[in-house]
Amino acid sequence: MTSSRFTLKTIAACLVSTGAATAFAHVTLPPGGATVGSDYNAAFRVGHACEGAKATTGLAVRLPKGFVLSDAQARKGWKLDVQKGKGDGEVRWVAETPQDALPGKERAEFVLRGKVPGTPGPLWFKVLQTCDVGSVDWAEVPASGNSTAGLKSPAAKLDVVAQGVATVDVRDGWVRQSVPGQSGTGAFMKLTAPTGTKLVSIATPAAGVAEVHEMKMEGDTMKMRELASGLDLPAGQTVELKPGGFHVMMMDLKGPLAKGASVPMTLKFEDAKGVKTALDVTLPVGAPEGADAAGAAHQHKH
Ligand SMILES: [Cu+2]
C-alpha cells in the first residue's frame, strides 16, 4: 500500500462516466482512453441502421485535427476510400451491393489506426452513417466539457490522456455507506482497460488502508482475501467489482460514510510491461438501485 513506488503523480483526467444506456444507439468508440502520442486502434461500433432504415450502406469518418492516420481495415464487400489530408482527412467504407450492406440488427466494427495527438483532451471523430434510406451525421460536439449527455447525434469521442494517467474506463462506481464506529466498507465499479492492465493498489483519504479483495466460497463459508498481485484487467473486457465478488476493501475508515457523500480515490495500475499509471475518481456513497441485493451480508473480518 505504499504510494511511493509510484513516481507518476500527474493525474489530470477523470474517465468516470455514467449512463452507458445509449452506447449502442450511437456510433461509438470502445470505452477507455488513449495515451498522448500513442498508436490507437479506433474501432467504430455500429449497432443499428438509421431511423426507419433496414441497413447501413456506408460509413465516413472525418479524422480530427492532430490524429495521424496510418491505415484503415478493409471490409469484405465494401469499398474502402482513404483521404489522408492535413486535419481534414477522411476514411470511407461503402457497401458494394445492397447484399453487402450491414443489416440493422447486426453490430459491426469499422477499424482504422493512427497516432493520437501529443496533448491531452477529448478527440472527436465525426461519422456520417449512410443507410438504404436516409443518413445520420454523428457530428455533435458539446459546447463545453466533454460529456455527450443530452446530444442527439454525438460524434464519437476518444479521451486522450497525459502520460501516467490510466486509459481505463471506470463506470457505475459506488461506496457502501457506513455507520459511526464501523471500521471497514467496500467500493465497487466496472473497469474496462482498452489495452489490458492490472489494478494493483488503491489510495483514498477516507480510509487508512484500501486493498483489492476477492470473495470466494471455501467449503460453505464465504471468505475473502487480498489479491496480492493485483486484479487482472484483460484488454477490452469489462471487469466488475461487486458485492460478493471482487471489491475494493476500505479499512480503518476515517469517519462514517453517509449516503450522498462522495469518496475520492486513486486507482493505480501496472501493465505487463511494467508501465505504471493512475486515475483519480470520485465515487458516490450509497448503492445504486438494484445493485446491492447480496450486499447487506457483506461482513468484513480480518
Ligand atoms: Cu474485503
Side-chain angles (χ1 to χ4, degrees):
M1 266 315 302
T2 54
S3 59
S4 56
R5 288 187 3 245
F6 292 84
T7 51
L8 290 161
K9 297 265 180 193
T10 334
I11 303 151
C14 177
L15 295 181
V16 175
S17 44
T18 50
T22 55
F24 283 116
H26 299 157
V27 173
T28 55
L29 287 165
T35 309
V36 285
S38 66
D39 288 316
Y40 178 71
N41 250 23
F44 293 89
R45 295 172 165 178
V46 177
H48 67 122
C50 315
E51 208 177 330
K54 287 198 177 68
T56 298
T57 56
L59 204 74
V61 178
R62 277 104 87 197
L63 303 174
K65 219 175 159 205
F67 181 84
V68 183
L69 182 75
S70 51
D71 64 293
Q73 208 173 80
R75 288 181 66 80
K76 198 168 174 267
W78 291 59
K79 188 174 167 283
L80 173 63
D81 185 19
V82 176
Q83 281 183 330
K84 281 207 174 175
K86 278 186 179 157
D88 59 350
E90 190 173 291
V91 174
R92 257 191 311 253
W93 291 267
V94 179
E96 279 163 5
T97 70
Q99 287 72 43
D100 293 313
L102 177 68
K105 283 178 189 144
E106 278 177 34
R107 289 175 186 170
E109 288 187 343
F110 294 75
V111 185
L112 59 85
R113 280 173 280 262
K115 201 182 264 296
V116 303
T119 35
L123 207 56
W124 301 96
F125 293 83
K126 297 179 178 179
V127 182
L128 178 66
Q129 179 183 16
T130 315
C131 297
D132 56 327
V133 179
S135 65
V136 186
D137 200 10
W138 302 99
E140 277 186 279
V141 171
S144 62
N146 68 358
S147 166
T148 56
L151 299 182
K152 233 184 129 200
S153 49
K157 183 185 69 161
L158 173 66
D159 281 306
V160 177
V161 302
Q163 291 285 354
V165 176
T167 58
V168 178
D169 177 84
V170 182
R171 63 183 68 201
D172 303 340
W174 60 282
V175 176
R176 182 189 312 290
Q177 61 195 95
S178 72
V179 295
Q182 187 177 331
S183 67
T185 190
F188 313 95
M189 65 198 81
K190 290 172 189 158
L191 301 173
T192 313
T195 53
T197 189
K198 255 181 179 191
L199 173 64
V200 288
S201 69
I202 296 110
T204 171
V209 178
E211 295 173 346
V212 194
H213 279 197
E214 75 170 338
M215 283 189 98
K216 265 215 302 226
M217 289 302 287
E218 265 176 38
D220 53 3
T221 1
M222 188 71 114
K223 289 244 167 105
M224 68 174 167
R225 65 180 180 99
E226 185 187 6
L227 288 171
S229 60
L231 173 63
D232 207 25
L233 305 172
Q237 229 169 283
T238 301
V239 175
E240 189 172 0
L241 282 70
K242 59 183 178 190
F246 298 124
H247 56 279
V248 172
M249 179 84 240
M250 297 168 64
M251 291 169 284
D252 190 11
L253 290 177
K254 300 291 157 79
L257 298 169
K259 196 173 171 68
S262 57
V263 174
M265 202 172 269
T266 302
L267 309 176
K268 293 172 182 179
F269 304 91
E270 183 171 345
D271 72 10
K273 290 176 189 155
V275 177
K276 290 167 178 158
T277 55
L279 190 64
D280 278 347
V281 297
T282 303
L283 304 182
V285 177
E289 243 160 90
D292 200 23
H298 184 96
Q299 290 294 326
H300 294 110
K301 291 184 181 132
H302 290 271

